């Protein structure tokens, strides 16, 4: 154990320490993952980076916010140590004597098995599963407001969730994923993947061009995002090891590794730069350093090929922008004409209309009648929250909290109308028999 501690200390001290300030001093790391299901009774706490203490970890593991067996992720963001818990939106900040929850909303269950990351000082959550479906929703946390805001992106793959998710500047690789939509029994592997371009805020498909792809599902195998490499635990034929995404070369490598099980079933993992160390329940380390003896250990197995992004209608980017500008001016002109000749009088300036999200109102009785008829005609009588939002036409609301309020008001209006006509409610809220955390809605005409 003493030898292990020596090598771990050497590992951390070999990194550049931050400048000394009056703020808490943490040894440099990009991320830390903590397994909430492991026992730490015999863990050697002195192996952890400077500033990460036993009391800190144990109080985090005792948090009532934990609702998943997936690892908890720690980041150092804007001079604060932040902890993120899968399957909840809670963002916990270390205060020196305990954890403070920064999240001010009420949603949960949407971001199970997520990929958390920090980019340019901002905190993000990507995917991967929630409410019986896979997804690639990108959320950004507002540290001031205490809410997760959806990031609007184009061409988002439907029901797709990546397994290996790796950030490289303005690009995010999402590979070896699956299409999951349990209400329609959709479970389909994706042997290639997608690329999210942060600069253009759009998704495009990519191809993993190597012949010997695994036929096994990769869903349960963890991946690790390092500075220049993405590591996905992988089985190539009969060999267990890891598939390496070389971010700068857009190339794929494979290395067989006898420590596969230690990388899969770790207690605490710490990553910094292009290296990571994985501790077991005793604090014994296993090191992952792809750059060490790279040419001897890794075999190149393929390339990553990208789909060329084109603007809609096949137009060049500049001509499409001009077309969009012309259409925008026409719409504005038509709107001004309609306002001038069709609106009898303006509202008093002192009377300000609430925003669409703030109104939270429902439509008239005729619209409610049409909505009831639409619900009764729905072929699937047991729907999840996203299917219900589609039926209500509220899925376009970006804020999850606003969407929840609007959904609640529509359910109330529909049930009041149906109760008056038929003596019972039309929409009944229930829980999934498979996963009690998941809320479903039964349409009972």
């Amino acid at each position: 154990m003493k030898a292990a501690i020596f090598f771990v200390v050497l590992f951390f001290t070999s990194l550049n320490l931050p400048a000394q300030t009056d703020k808490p001093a943490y040894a440099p790391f990009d991320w830390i993952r903590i397994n909430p299901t492991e026992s730490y009774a015999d863990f050697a706490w002195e192996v952890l980076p400077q500033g990460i203490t036993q009391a800190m970890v144990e109080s985090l593991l005792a948090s009532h916010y934990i609702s998943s067996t997936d690892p908890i992720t720690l980041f150092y963001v804007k001079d604060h140590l932040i902890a993120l818990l899968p399957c909840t939106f809670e963002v916990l900040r270390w205060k020196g004597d305990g954890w403070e929850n920064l999240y001010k909303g009420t949603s949960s269950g949407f971001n199970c098995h997520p990929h958390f990351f920090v980019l340019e000082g901002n905190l993000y959550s990507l995917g991967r599963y929630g409410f019986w479906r896979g997804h690639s929703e990108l959320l950004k946390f507002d540290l001031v407001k205490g809410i997760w805001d959806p990031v609007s992106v184009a061409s988002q793959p439907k029901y797709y969730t990546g397994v290996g998710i790796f950030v490289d500047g303005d690009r995010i690789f999402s590979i070896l994923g699956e299409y999951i939509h349990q209400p329609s029994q959709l479970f389909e592997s994706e042997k290639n993947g997608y690329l999210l371009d942060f600069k253009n805020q759009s998704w495009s498909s990519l191809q993993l061009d190597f012949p010997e792809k695994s036929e096994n599902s990769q869903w349960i195998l963890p991946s690790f995002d390092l500075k220049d490499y993405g590591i996905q635990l992988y089985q190539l034929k009969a060999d267990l090891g890891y598939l390496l995404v070389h971010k700068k070369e857009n190339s794929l490598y494979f290395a067989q590794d006898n420590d596969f099980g230690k990388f899969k079933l770790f207690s605490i993992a710490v990553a910094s730069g292009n290296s990571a160390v994985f501790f077991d329940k005793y604090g014994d380390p296993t090191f992952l350093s792809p750059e060490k003896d790279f040419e001897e250990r890794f075999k190149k197995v393929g390339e990553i090929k990208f789909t060329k992004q084109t603007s809609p209608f096949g137009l060049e980017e500049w001509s499409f922008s001009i077309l969009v500008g012309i259409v925008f001016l026409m719409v504005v002109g038509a709107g001004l004409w309609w306002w001038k000749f069709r609106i009898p009088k303006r509202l008093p300036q002192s009377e300000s209309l609430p925003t669409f999200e703030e109104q939270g109102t429902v439509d008239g009785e005729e619209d409610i009648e049409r909505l009831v008829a639409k619900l009764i005609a729905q072929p699937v009588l047991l729907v999840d929250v996203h299917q219900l939002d589609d039926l209500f036409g509220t899925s376009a609301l970006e804020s999850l909290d606003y969407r929840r309020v609007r959904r609640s008001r529509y359910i109330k209006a529909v049930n009041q109308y149906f109760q008056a006509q038929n003596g019972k409610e039309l929409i009944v809220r229930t829980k999934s028999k498979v996963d009690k955390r998941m809320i479903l809605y039964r349409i009972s005409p």
Side-chain angles (χ1 to χ4, degrees), residues 32-52:
I32 295 178
R33 292 188 188 177
I34 301 173
N35 184 348
T37 65
E38 189 60 85
S39 170
Y40 293 88
D42 300 316
F43 192 82
W45 297 100
E46 61 269 24
V47 302
L48 294 182
Q50 178 187 359
I52 308 301

Side-chain angles (χ1 to χ4, degrees), residues 274-331:
N274 286 324
S275 298
V277 57
F278 297 78
F279 300 104
D280 65 12
K281 64 179 182 179
Y282 302 108
D284 288 335
T286 301
F287 296 94
L288 176 62
S289 300
E291 290 181 322
K292 184 179 180 181
D293 302 325
F294 186 89
E295 295 182 357
E296 290 77 12
R297 298 168 57 216
F298 285 90
K299 174 186 175 183
K300 188 172 182 178
V301 293
E303 305 283 347
I304 301 177
K305 295 185 177 180
F306 305 99
T307 301
K308 184 178 180 181
Q309 294 181 340
T310 58
S311 299
F313 313 111
L315 299 176
E316 296 294 336
E317 183 177 353
W318 63 270
S319 58
F320 179 70
S321 300
I322 294 175
L323 177 61
V324 171
I326 293 174
V327 172
F328 176 75
L329 291 176
M330 293 175 63
V331 171

Side-chain angles (χ1 to χ4, degrees), residues 234-409:
Y234 197 77
Q235 180 178 349
L236 186 63
K237 293 186 176 180
D239 296 330
L240 293 176
Y242 40 82
L243 186 71
L244 182 142
V245 174
H246 196 307
K247 299 177 183 179
K248 305 307 178 186
E249 293 181 358
N250 298 324
S251 301
L252 299 169
Y253 293 82
F254 180 78
Q256 184 179 1
D257 202 304
N258 295 328
D259 290 325
F260 182 94
K262 295 180 180 179
F263 296 140
K264 181 181 178 182
L265 302 173
F266 61 88
S267 292
I268 297 180
V270 183
S272 181
N274 286 324
S275 298
V277 57
F278 297 78
F279 300 104
D280 65 12
K281 64 179 182 179
Y282 302 108
D284 288 335
T286 301
F287 296 94
L288 176 62
S289 300
E291 290 181 322
K292 184 179 180 181
D293 302 325
F294 186 89
E295 295 182 357
E296 290 77 12
R297 298 168 57 216
F298 285 90
K299 174 186 175 183
K300 188 172 182 178
V301 293
E303 305 283 347
I304 301 177
K305 295 185 177 180
F306 305 99
T307 301
K308 184 178 180 181
Q309 294 181 340
T310 58
S311 299
F313 313 111
L315 299 176
E316 296 294 336
E317 183 177 353
W318 63 270
S319 58
F320 179 70
S321 300
I322 294 175
L323 177 61
V324 171
I326 293 174
V327 172
F328 176 75
L329 291 176
M330 293 175 63
V331 171
V332 171
L336 291 174
W337 180 88
W338 181 82
W339 180 266
K340 180 177 180 180
F341 292 100
R342 297 295 182 182
I343 302 299
K345 63 180 181 178
R346 298 178 181 272
L347 292 171
Q349 292 185 354
S350 60
E351 180 183 351
S352 61
L353 289 174
T355 64
F356 178 75
E357 294 85 356
E358 290 171 340
Q359 291 176 35
T361 58
V362 296
D363 298 321
E365 184 173 339
E366 293 183 0
D367 292 328
I368 296 299
E369 289 179 1
R370 285 193 292 268
L371 184 55
V372 168
K374 183 178 180 181
L375 290 167
I376 294 175
Q378 169 71 10
V380 180
L381 297 182
L382 189 64
V383 298
D384 60 25
V385 65
H386 296 283
Q387 291 172 309
L388 189 62
D389 284 343
D390 290 339
L391 290 170
F392 285 161
T394 57
S395 56
L397 294 175
E398 290 190 353
S399 170
L400 293 175
D401 290 326
Y402 286 147
R403 197 183 307 171
R404 176 179 55 80
V405 171
R406 181 62 61 87
R407 184 191 317 121
S408 175
R409 291 182 180 272

